[in-house]
Amino acid sequence: MVDTPVILTIVSVCVGFILFVTAASGARGGWHRGVVIALFAAAICCLTVVPLTVALTAGV
């Protein structure tokens, strides 16, 4: 069976990718600058901070 840290990391990376693609399309679509920056920041957080925190707390 797959452990909880693995599932959490996979979900976080998937959400981060979706946020990144949404921010990129919003930047091309002319969305408000603050919204695009917030989406990019959330994507970077989901793609880096959450998986690293999970890995460090799981003892990998």
Side-chain angles (χ1 to χ4, degrees):
M1 215 31 81
V2 180
D3 291 332
T4 304
V6 175
I7 293 172
L8 186 62
T9 302
I10 291 171
V11 169
S12 174
V13 169
C14 290
V15 169
F17 180 73
I18 291 169
L19 289 172
F20 190 82
V21 170
T22 304
S25 66
R28 289 188 53 99
W31 292 2
H32 189 270
R33 186 178 202 144
V35 173
V36 173
I37 291 172
L39 285 171
F40 273 126
I44 295 299
C45 181
C46 286
L47 289 171
T48 57
V49 174
V50 173
L52 283 175
T53 304
V54 169
L56 291 175
T57 57
V60 174

